[in-house]
Amino acid sequence: MKKHLEVVGAVILREGKVLAAKRGESRYPYVAHKFEFVGGKIEPGESAEAALAREVCEELGARIEAERPFLTIEHEYPDFTITLHTFLCKLLSDVHNTEHEALVWMPLSALDVAEWAPADAPAVEALKKL
């Protein structure tokens, strides 16, 4: 049986653009060098919103406010499955790249799901319709 992870992702919008974090090398080639929403695993006993605030602080050195749930996605990768809870978030401070290959403000009109981690694709498609 594959390992199942509960994860969160921050959909941070500004001036018609979304903040995209590009992953670096990975032991899982299907997500290496792909864009994703900033976020990560929900720890035992932690709420999704608390996990999101913690992960954004760790990955961007930034503070956010989770304004509302955006989309929950179930995805099966070859090695594990995830439930990804995305939230529309308000950025409350500057961002600093602490662990990604790149941070990019991508125009919603130019989003290409092929550039994103497969689990994030449904949320990217939904953003294109905003």
Side-chain angles (χ1 to χ4, degrees):
M1 186 169 161
K2 292 180 183 180
K3 183 176 184 176
H4 181 264
L5 303 172
E6 290 275 332
V7 299
V8 289
V11 179
I12 302 170
L13 301 172
R14 181 175 75 187
E15 299 171 1
K17 298 177 182 176
V18 64
L19 184 61
K22 191 171 189 178
R23 295 178 63 103
E25 285 296 324
S26 175
R27 64 180 170 169
Y28 305 114
Y30 40 84
V31 294
H33 308 288
K34 296 282 188 176
F35 286 103
E36 65 180 0
F37 299 107
V38 174
K41 295 177 199 143
I42 301 172
E43 299 295 337
E46 190 175 43
S47 71
E49 292 86 349
L52 196 58
R54 176 183 51 75
E55 288 284 349
V56 169
C57 184
E58 289 173 6
E59 294 181 24
L60 301 178
R63 293 181 304 108
I64 52 117
E65 177 184 328
E67 295 185 312
R68 67 179 172 89
F70 183 61
L71 194 64
T72 296
I73 302 154
E74 301 283 338
H75 187 80
E76 184 172 342
Y77 283 114
D79 301 289
F80 57 95
T81 63
I82 69 167
T83 302
L84 169 61
H85 305 278
T86 61
F87 290 82
L88 287 174
C89 297
K90 181 179 180 181
L91 192 58
L92 302 175
S93 66
D94 291 337
V95 299
H96 306 282
N97 188 6
T98 62
E99 69 178 61
H100 291 91
E101 195 171 273
L103 292 177
V104 179
W105 286 99
M106 289 188 167
L108 298 182
S109 61
L111 292 176
D112 178 358
V113 294
E115 297 179 340
W116 288 74
D120 294 54
V124 171
E125 284 293 342
L127 283 172
K128 290 169 62 174
K129 297 173 184 172
L130 290 182

